[in-house]
Amino acid sequence: MRTSSRAIALCVVLAAAGAAPAHAQPAAAAGPAIAIDEKLPAEAKTFLRGLHPQSGDVRIAAAKAVLHLGDRYYFLPADEAKRVLTQLWGNPPEVVSDVLGLVMEKGKSPTDDAWGAVITYRDTGYVSDEDATTQDYDAVLASLKEGEAAENEQRKAAGFPTLSLVGWAQPPSYDAGAHSLIWARELASSDSKVNGLNYDVRLLGRTGVLSLNMVATMPMLAQVRQAATEFGRSADFESGARYADYDAATDKAAGYGLAGLVGGGAAVAVAKKVGFLALLAKFWKLILVGILAFGGAIVGAFRKLFGRRNEDGE
């Protein structure tokens, strides 16, 4: 069986042009058939044929947002996305419980070396961007690295590879016009010779944050960065749910700013009190999705699901 790398993206950029009106229902349609490599085992082909891709406009109800996919991308709904992430890519079910869907490019399969955008939404409340020009993200990075040894002991005990945060693959940057925050982390895993890449872009809304997360390998950095920019423009909050619609008199505030979002949300505020594991409980949940897929680990996940190699031994 062929070894596949995975680029899974959670990246969102506000796209005003072509957005569906708030009163209109997005026109989701049956998407293109998923491309299937004939070299895959029969069980893998059956798995892929059991997926039901959608294209066009797909509404993410929990976020009051719309993905304008056209015919360039396809969407897998939450239940099928979770099957891909757990059964095919080998992630534990508890880290994908909040996944709302998975988007991939037309012509690509979950078994290919191709990115896939894992969609989640956090009902955090309004995240202030007042600290956009004053944050020291190197200090945030240092805080995220603290306590890795203790966390990795827990990961080893649970049977998962250890993970270490090497540094920024792209330092956090904020687009004030689009109200989107983007950053990328380089990660080292004990079961891979190639460092992983976690590419994250968050779109700030009135009551929370829409997130798409790309996980890939560092050699794919340029490719994933380009994909994040292009695919990110397909997402938009609906009227009434946009960042500009926030009403301080009635709406809940998150209680933290952009640095807190990068560091794991509200966990940053309590990290010093309850320890680094409280922080990583949120942080690693966001980046674990797909992490077992990079390098050679996908082979083990395939074997676990399908039970054998194909006859040519690839």
Side-chain angles (χ1 to χ4, degrees), residues 7-305:
I8 307 174
L10 283 183
C11 86
V12 182
V13 176
L14 182 63
H23 61 274
Q25 290 297 321
I34 295 176
I36 298 177
D37 187 342
E38 290 303 317
K39 294 180 180 180
L40 291 173
E43 292 91 339
K45 296 177 185 177
T46 299
F47 182 97
L48 295 175
R49 292 187 183 114
L51 302 176
H52 300 85
Q54 302 172 18
S55 59
D57 283 359
V58 176
R59 184 169 189 261
I60 307 301
K64 297 182 181 179
V66 179
L67 301 178
H68 306 287
L69 303 181
D71 60 1
R72 183 175 178 182
Y73 310 102
Y74 67 86
F75 173 86
L76 297 178
D79 57 341
E80 295 185 2
K82 292 175 184 178
R83 286 181 57 210
V84 170
L85 294 171
T86 57
Q87 298 179 35
L88 194 61
W89 294 352
N91 291 286
E94 60 268 22
V95 305
V96 303
S97 60
D98 296 333
V99 169
L100 300 176
L102 175 69
V103 174
M104 297 194 73
E105 285 186 295
K106 178 182 178 180
K108 299 296 184 180
S109 161
T111 62
D112 291 336
D113 264 349
W115 64 265
V118 180
I119 302 164
T120 58
Y121 177 73
R122 297 285 186 263
D123 187 17
T124 58
Y126 177 85
V127 177
S128 172
D129 63 358
E130 292 181 355
D131 64 350
T133 61
T134 61
Q135 286 306 311
D136 182 356
Y137 288 112
D138 288 337
V140 174
L141 180 66
S143 295
L144 290 172
K145 289 183 176 182
E146 292 176 5
E148 278 186 352
E151 171 66 11
N152 278 325
E153 286 302 317
Q154 292 193 5
R155 291 185 58 78
K156 286 192 291 186
F160 295 108
T162 60
L163 296 173
S164 299
L165 179 57
V166 178
W168 299 127
Q170 177 177 323
S173 61
Y174 182 64
D175 183 335
H179 303 295
S180 63
L181 179 66
I182 184 168
W183 70 94
R185 309 177 187 94
E186 181 178 357
L187 303 163
S189 174
S190 61
D191 69 344
S192 176
K193 295 181 180 179
V194 180
N195 281 358
L197 169 66
N198 176 245
Y199 218 99
D200 212 333
V201 180
R202 310 289 179 89
L203 178 62
L204 277 58
R206 176 178 181 175
T207 62
V209 180
L210 182 65
S211 176
L212 285 78
N213 193 24
M214 290 181 172
V215 178
T217 55
M218 281 301 295
M220 296 178 68
L221 176 60
Q223 175 186 340
V224 177
R225 180 186 291 119
Q226 181 67 23
T229 300
E230 294 176 356
F231 173 69
R233 297 193 182 105
S234 71
D236 190 15
F237 280 111
E238 297 172 344
S239 179
R242 298 186 173 114
Y243 196 74
D245 297 321
Y246 172 69
D247 185 343
T250 60
D251 296 340
K252 178 181 72 172
Y256 54 86
L258 301 182
L261 191 60
V262 173
V268 170
V270 299
K272 293 183 178 179
K273 294 182 180 179
V274 299
F276 186 66
L277 295 183
L279 177 65
L280 288 203
K282 290 179 178 286
F283 174 66
W284 285 123
K285 184 171 183 178
L286 294 176
I287 70 170
L288 184 60
V289 174
I291 196 68
L292 299 184
F294 73 76
I298 190 63
V299 176
F302 266 15
R303 290 176 186 170
K304 183 180 295 185
L305 177 62

